[in-house]
Amino acid sequence: MKGRSIILDQMGDREAAALMVDGQLEDILIDTDAPRPGTVYRAIADRPVKGQGGMFLKTPDGSAFLRQIKGLAPGQPILVQVTGYAEPGKALPVTQKLLFKSRYAIVTPGAPGINISRQIKDEAERDRLLEIAHDTLSDQPTGLILRSSCDGAPVDAIAEDIAQMAELAARILADESQEMEVLAEGDGPHLLAWRDWVAPAEVVTDEGGFETHGVLNALETVRGPEVSLGSGARLYVEPTRALVAVDVNTGADASLAAGIKANMACAKALPRALRLRGLGGQIVLDLAPMPKKDRRSFETALRQGFRRDDIETALVGWTPLGHFELQRKRARLPLSEVLA
């Protein structure tokens, strides 16, 4: 099956969305019982953490942790937003920097000014988008980021997105209640698919779409650690309690170039492998043997691979033993937990 398809379906009683590209599963979103990233709370300060500059908060969904906060006393209300999923036994990660995201716009109440995605290069298009933003926001004191999906999009669609997100932000910020409360739910898989998978695609909403379009079969493969790199080379992605271990194996290829070939294939395949498995945190790559002179080429390929990935990932560097380390945001729950 060629081309791009977005399949909106259910897995049991949970909402789910899948992105298929040329018959291959490229991304999967499955709803869980955990608070969704993007959820906005009016939380209540609970207790500070000495030495870390943070504060535990009480929310309707349990304990949350806010880093680097000053001047907040226990019992005070504060607006926060969920930034990711909590590790087992830990508090929800939250931030004071509220973002209200839609397909075309991100409203940023705490960061005034209008910004346009750097991916939009054409000056005439940038001027058009600035005009839409100014006309829609008028004198509202909020910040705005126009996403790359705005490029060539209809005026009415962009203006509607800006207006809806600005209205939601204004309503939440104007709420003067002091009680602990959920003020806005994070987006579910179907809305996230509409919001973030913006490239042209066939949208399938028929019941049972996951089965008829091969999503369920692809998920069975993704549940295992192995990823084929071609020519017999393999990538193994295995989460442990402390980190995610990635092993690159050249297979039966014993040529001098086998190591660099497998490692370059790993650089291309790794973002998808981690995204589909919902893995983040510390990631350590045990690469196939290759000369040190090839390390820079590998880093460049790895950087290019993650540049197209929406989840924030930092390339940390090489260890004395020759491993390569990454730090990746825990933006999703591990697929193994979601499907358990």
Side-chain angles (χ1 to χ4, degrees), residues 112-130:
I114 297 175
N115 296 283
I116 299 173
S117 168
R118 285 178 290 184
Q119 294 181 38
I120 300 176
K121 308 291 186 183
D122 184 77
E123 287 301 323
E125 179 65 3
R126 294 178 71 88
D127 289 343
R128 180 184 82 101
L129 296 176
L130 277 175

Side-chain angles (χ1 to χ4, degrees), residues 1-331:
M1 182 176 62
K2 296 294 183 181
R4 291 170 60 91
S5 299
I6 295 172
I7 301 99
L8 308 180
D9 202 356
Q10 300 282 129
M11 291 193 69
D13 60 352
R14 292 182 293 175
E15 190 177 286
L19 175 63
M20 300 288 287
V21 179
D22 295 335
Q24 182 181 57
L25 181 62
E26 191 66 24
D27 206 351
I28 182 77
L29 302 169
I30 304 171
D31 209 2
T32 71
D33 294 331
R36 295 168 174 171
T39 296
V40 179
Y41 298 118
R42 186 188 307 103
I44 304 298
D46 190 11
R47 54 188 175 86
V49 180
K50 294 181 179 179
Q52 293 188 26
M55 175 79 76
F56 281 105
L57 312 174
K58 292 185 287 187
T59 79
D61 293 318
S63 179
F65 184 69
L66 179 62
R67 297 181 181 277
Q68 298 177 337
I69 180 70
K70 295 180 180 178
L72 184 65
Q76 279 187 273
I78 182 173
L79 294 181
V80 293
Q81 189 170 42
V82 178
T83 59
Y85 291 98
E87 296 179 57
K90 294 190 176 181
L92 276 171
V94 295
T95 180
Q96 280 185 286
K97 297 177 181 178
L98 306 185
L99 299 176
F100 297 89
K101 297 182 180 182
S102 192
R103 185 179 177 91
Y104 299 114
I106 303 175
V107 168
T108 59
I114 297 175
N115 296 283
I116 299 173
S117 168
R118 285 178 290 184
Q119 294 181 38
I120 300 176
K121 308 291 186 183
D122 184 77
E123 287 301 323
E125 179 65 3
R126 294 178 71 88
D127 289 343
R128 180 184 82 101
L129 296 176
L130 277 175
E131 185 176 349
I132 296 171
H134 283 297
D135 288 347
T136 307
L137 281 179
S138 188
D139 296 325
Q140 294 183 58
T142 189
L144 178 68
I145 300 170
L146 293 175
R147 307 178 70 189
S148 59
S149 52
C150 289
D151 196 0
V155 173
D156 291 347
I158 298 172
E160 183 180 358
D161 258 16
I162 295 172
Q164 286 182 349
M165 292 300 100
E167 180 184 353
L168 175 61
R171 186 168 71 247
I172 287 175
L173 293 174
D175 191 323
E176 296 182 351
S177 175
Q178 302 292 297
E179 300 298 320
M180 183 170 62
E181 187 179 351
V182 178
L183 298 175
E185 293 278 2
D187 290 337
H190 291 182
L191 269 177
L192 285 174
W194 171 80
R195 192 184 86 186
D196 295 334
W197 299 342
V198 296
E202 174 196 12
V203 178
V204 178
T205 59
D206 299 336
E207 186 176 346
F210 273 18
E211 183 173 2
T212 57
H213 285 75
V215 176
L216 297 182
N217 289 337
L219 279 177
E220 285 303 312
T221 302
V222 171
R223 294 179 79 161
E226 184 177 312
V227 180
S228 174
L229 298 177
S231 302
R234 294 286 187 272
L235 178 71
Y236 296 90
V237 183
E238 299 180 284
T240 71
R241 183 178 294 274
L243 51 82
V244 176
V246 177
D247 179 59
V248 181
N249 192 310
T250 60
D253 190 347
S255 67
L256 291 175
I260 184 62
K261 283 166 55 181
N263 292 339
M264 295 299 277
C266 163
K268 183 178 180 181
L270 185 60
R272 173 179 173 271
L274 294 174
R275 182 172 63 251
L276 290 178
R277 290 164 175 79
L279 297 176
Q282 298 178 54
I283 300 163
V284 179
L285 311 185
D286 184 11
L287 298 165
M290 68 178 177
K292 283 190 175 181
K293 66 181 178 62
D294 291 328
R295 285 185 174 184
R296 180 164 293 182
S297 298
F298 169 77
E299 289 180 54
T300 299
L302 194 64
R303 191 171 290 108
Q304 288 175 345
F306 279 108
R307 190 173 292 143
R308 294 186 290 270
D309 192 75
D310 291 335
I311 299 174
E312 182 182 338
T313 305
L315 277 59
V316 179
W318 300 92
T319 72
L321 290 176
H323 298 145
F324 193 84
E325 294 184 323
L326 310 171
Q327 183 71 34
R328 185 171 172 85
K329 182 178 178 180
R330 286 188 172 88

